[in-house]
Amino acid sequence: MEELKKVLVELLNKNNNIHWFIVHDLSKKLNHNSDIEFSFVDGTIDREEPFNKNLGYITIKDESKFEKLLKELIIKFKTKEKQLSNIFIIIFRLNRSPLIEKIISSTKELLTKEILRSVYNLLIQSLNENYYSHITINKTAPINTNDWLDLFTSAQYYHTISDPLTCLILFAEIDEQKIDFSYIQIMSPLLRSIIIGKYGWNIKISTSEVLNIIENNEIEASFFSAYLLDDMLPEQQAPDWLSRDVVEVFISKYWNNIGSQTFQHIYGISYRNKNDNMMYEKLREYYHEVLLNKIKDDKKDNSWILSLTFPDGFISLFYWMYKNPEVLKTHITDLNQTNITTRLIREFERIVDNASNYISSEHRINPFNNYKLNDNKYTIALAYALILILNTEEKFINNNLKSILYKIKPLFYGGYASTTFAKDSVGILFIICLSIININGSNKEMENKLKLLINILKETVLIPYIHLIERENVIWDITDKDSQNQYNIGILIINNYLKEINKNKTLKELYKNVFDVLEDVKVAKWLYER
């Protein structure tokens, strides 16, 4: 042990910086020492390692003597934080986890809390700069909820079998698998994502502390929102610090980057809300309280309505209304209902006006996300869209929807990308028009406005839409299972709705113009007729 002690003192005095590869240096000087054995110190490059190669491992013959030696070194260097940091790096590289925990626990008693915290901070700062610095990863700091969620998800794929971070956490104040947030706050986004997304640690913090942090820090607010959403296990409980006031900040102060994205994950189409738990239930409870308070009072700031996007934002909004029917029936003010309807139409206009961007070869995307129609939240949202449209003035319907459909019409006569955009956009509007079968309690005034909507559809795009749809295999051959997929789910929904309407004498009369055009134009026997 004397030779080991001599070499350790020499290396610690020599290195006045954080030295993660100190075990490699030890192995070169003590290659034939009988008290210690080394492994994984050959320096082989391995991109999956946090430092591009393994930091090495130590096996000690006499663990009690080695523990005593380390305590002597800690006392010797107790005022030199960088040397202490390197001593703890050596401890981290012991090849037995129980031994690491035992030694850290005993050596921590030799140092003040202030010194221990300084050592922890130094090591974290070094990791912030050097942890996986050798690989090309997105270094852009997360600015919203979804950015953090993406980081948490990607963290699961990091190779962490020899990760020093697992040992460094032993410095933190831990209470029932919860780490005091102050130990996480100084970490880089990547380190945070590993701690939360990979290792699944929980955060210990009070509600007042959270509010104090997020009130003036949108990045931290987005982190906390993502932390909540990342807990998807069925048994997951809401943390003590989650409160209505916290959600109020998400919604009222940071709607675009946090409130709207969190809203989508708890009410909209998201794989994260497939397995329900108490966390999501509590989030929905607080979101309902805050949004209800806003939507029933014209004096409240409802600028969030003006930033709703189609389809995702409106799917979330309308599914919230669906789960809480009293919102639309009794609570929403006329002004806010008008604002939501107007915003919905403006979103349709925005998408259609930017058709050239969506269909260009460089940016070709489907802005309506028609493939999501296999989730009933989307069709529920389209039914609510029809309710709001039928509760507005005829002049509004005639001027706005007719204008949108006339802009779409020329696209039916373009190339593949153009006709696909036209088919997808009209498909959504056609489903809205047919969604009367999902509405309870329509009245004569609504039916008259529906007839107006049908006539506008007939006058503008219904005929080219029928011609284009008849190119699809699913129309001609129902036995062709491969032709029925998420990309033509809209066609199947339209046919299902037409079939249900066709069974109802009153509804069939209401949609007479649709059926008349279909009979005059179509060639195939459509699914609704079979």
Side-chain angles (χ1 to χ4, degrees):
M1 283 291 171
E2 286 303 316
E3 183 187 8
L4 176 56
K5 179 179 180 180
K6 179 182 177 182
V7 172
L8 279 171
V9 171
E10 179 186 334
L11 284 175
L12 291 169
N13 282 324
K14 178 183 176 182
N15 287 290
N16 199 34
N17 293 306
I18 306 298
H19 186 34
W20 290 101
F21 288 97
I22 192 169
V23 170
H24 285 233
D25 290 352
L26 270 176
S27 70
K28 294 172 184 176
K29 292 180 177 291
L30 296 168
N31 194 29
H32 301 293
N33 188 286
S34 60
D35 294 321
I36 188 170
E37 292 181 2
F38 299 93
S39 56
F40 294 96
V41 289
D42 58 358
T44 301
I45 298 298
D46 184 351
R47 287 174 54 81
E48 291 188 348
E49 290 286 347
F51 292 88
N52 205 25
K53 52 187 175 181
N54 198 294
L55 299 181
Y57 287 101
I58 299 172
T59 302
I60 299 297
K61 295 291 180 66
D62 191 330
E63 293 178 353
S64 61
K65 286 185 178 180
F66 186 67
E67 182 178 353
K68 181 181 178 182
L69 170 58
L70 289 173
K71 287 182 177 180
E72 291 174 4
L73 292 175
I74 287 173
I75 292 172
K76 178 179 177 63
F77 293 101
K78 66 179 180 180
T79 60
K80 298 182 178 180
E81 293 168 357
K82 290 183 179 177
Q83 280 76 13
L84 285 173
S85 298
N86 288 330
I87 291 173
F88 280 106
I89 290 175
I90 293 170
I91 296 173
F92 296 164
R93 306 317 300 169
L94 292 169
N95 71 342
R96 290 203 310 112
S97 296
L99 179 61
I100 295 174
E101 294 175 16
K102 177 176 179 291
I103 292 179
I104 289 181
S105 178
S106 63
T107 53
K108 280 169 66 174
E109 298 173 0
L110 303 174
L111 300 170
T112 64
K113 287 185 177 181
E114 290 74 22
I115 291 293
L116 282 170
R117 190 57 184 264
S118 294
V119 170
Y120 173 86
N121 289 348
L122 280 173
L123 290 169
I124 289 294
Q125 288 167 11
S126 177
L127 286 178
N128 285 342
E129 296 174 7
N130 300 297
Y131 193 81
Y132 283 104
S133 62
H134 57 283
I135 64 174
T136 303
I137 56 176
N138 187 359
K139 299 293 197 304
T140 306
I143 60 172
N144 57 46
T145 302
N146 286 338
D147 284 351
W148 279 108
L149 288 172
D150 289 343
L151 263 181
F152 294 163
T153 300
S154 65
Q156 299 172 29
Y157 300 97
Y158 281 88
H159 179 79
T160 53
I161 193 169
S162 61
D163 189 357
L165 192 57
T166 58
C167 300
L168 192 49
I169 288 302
L170 297 173
F171 276 76
E173 294 179 16
I174 300 173
D175 180 19
E176 295 182 353
Q177 202 63 17
K178 295 179 182 178
I179 302 175
D180 188 89
F181 179 67
S182 61
Y183 287 89
I184 295 176
Q185 194 168 15
I186 64 170
M187 292 181 179
S188 68
L190 176 58
L191 292 184
R192 289 193 190 191
S193 69
I194 297 291
I195 288 293
I196 303 300
K198 178 74 176 181
Y199 299 132
W201 284 91
N202 292 317
I203 293 173
K204 180 182 179 183
I205 193 171
S206 68
T207 302
S208 59
E209 288 173 317
V210 171
L211 289 170
N212 187 52
I213 291 169
I214 69 176
E215 275 287 352
N216 298 300
N217 192 323
E218 187 171 4
I219 302 300
E220 291 292 12
S222 65
F223 168 77
F224 278 105
S225 66
Y227 168 80
L228 293 169
L229 294 169
D230 194 54
D231 285 323
M232 298 181 292
L233 295 175
E235 66 274 12
Q236 188 64 40
Q237 299 289 318
D240 295 338
W241 54 264
L242 177 59
S243 69
R244 174 176 167 166
D245 289 339
V246 171
V247 170
E248 178 81 51
V249 174
F250 291 166
I251 294 174
S252 299
K253 197 159 188 177
Y254 308 121
W255 173 258
N256 287 338
N257 284 336
I258 301 171
S260 62
Q261 294 180 9
T262 306
F263 190 37
Q264 180 183 337
H265 286 298
I266 61 175
Y267 275 109
I269 297 177
S270 170
Y271 75 90
R272 294 182 179 277
N273 60 36
K274 298 300 182 183
N275 294 323
D276 215 357
N277 59 35
M278 293 301 294
M279 170 79 81
Y280 278 74
E281 186 175 319
K282 184 60 71 173
L283 279 169
R284 282 192 290 268
E285 175 188 330
Y286 289 143
Y287 256 79
H288 174 65
E289 291 178 8
V290 174
L291 290 179
L292 181 62
N293 189 47
K294 288 177 174 293
I295 212 163
K296 67 181 184 180
D297 188 348
D298 289 339
K299 295 180 181 178
K300 299 288 184 182
D301 176 18
N302 282 315
S303 56
W304 61 277
I305 292 174
L306 304 180
S307 63
L308 286 168
T309 57
F310 189 88
D312 292 331
F314 280 96
I315 291 173
S316 306
L317 175 69
F318 290 144
Y319 193 69
W320 167 59
M321 290 182 174
Y322 170 75
K323 298 297 287 186
N324 301 278
E326 73 279 3
V327 173
L328 193 57
K329 287 181 179 178
T330 59
H331 292 306
I332 190 170
T333 65
D334 291 341
L335 176 61
N336 282 325
Q337 183 166 324
T338 299
N339 287 339
I340 291 171
T341 309
T342 302
R343 178 61 184 177
L344 176 66
I345 298 302
R346 296 294 168 260
E347 274 296 278
F348 287 152
E349 289 177 341
R350 175 188 63 80
I351 293 172
V352 172
D353 288 343
N354 286 280
S356 59
N357 293 330
Y358 294 122
I359 64 181
S360 67
S361 58
E362 185 179 355
H363 304 105
R364 189 177 300 171
I365 59 174
N366 179 349
F368 292 99
N369 294 337
N370 297 59
Y371 66 92
K372 291 184 179 180
L373 283 166
N374 58 4
D375 192 310
N376 71 333
K377 289 182 180 180
Y378 202 162
T379 51
I380 288 170
L382 297 182
Y384 272 77
L386 180 61
I387 291 173
L388 292 187
I389 290 171
L390 297 184
N391 276 288
T392 191
E393 295 180 0
E394 288 191 6
K395 183 179 179 181
F396 181 88
I397 297 173
N398 196 53
N399 291 345
N400 289 279
L401 288 174
K402 184 180 288 187
S403 171
I404 292 170
L405 290 168
Y406 267 119
K407 289 177 182 177
I408 295 173
K409 187 173 183 178
L411 300 177
F412 279 102
Y413 305 100
Y416 174 77
S418 173
T419 56
T420 299
F421 179 90
K423 177 186 68 176
D424 291 340
S425 55
V426 172
I428 292 296
L429 293 168
F430 199 6
I431 292 173
I432 290 175
C433 185
L434 298 173
S435 291
I436 195 72
I437 64 168
N438 293 328
I439 296 174
N440 294 321
S442 62
N443 54 45
K444 191 66 177 177
E445 184 181 355
M446 291 174 69
E447 289 173 0
N448 288 334
K449 292 175 183 176
L450 179 59
K451 288 180 180 179
L452 172 62
L453 184 57
I454 291 168
N455 285 334
I456 293 172
L457 196 66
K458 173 186 174 183
E459 175 187 329
T460 54
V461 295
L462 187 55
I463 291 176
Y465 179 76
I466 294 169
H467 286 312
L468 188 60
I469 288 303
E470 290 208 322
R471 298 180 186 178
E472 301 287 341
N473 287 341
V474 70
I475 289 292
W476 292 88
D477 187 4
I478 188 61
T479 63
D480 183 4
K481 300 298 182 183
D482 292 335
S483 67
Q484 300 179 50
N485 54 56
Q486 61 179 342
Y487 297 105
N488 58 32
I489 186 69
I491 299 173
L492 300 177
I493 291 172
I494 286 169
N495 275 272
N496 287 336
Y497 284 8
L498 287 171
K499 193 169 191 174
E500 292 303 311
I501 291 169
N502 202 29
K503 294 176 183 177
N504 186 305
K505 185 177 179 181
T506 303
L507 290 181
K508 187 175 181 180
E509 179 62 28
L510 191 58
Y511 285 88
K512 183 179 183 301
N513 281 344
V514 172
F515 286 106
D516 285 348
V517 174
L518 282 167
E519 287 303 314
D520 289 342
V521 177
K522 70 181 182 64
V523 177
K525 187 175 183 180
W526 281 29
L527 282 66
Y528 75 87
E529 300 174 288
R530 298 172 186 169

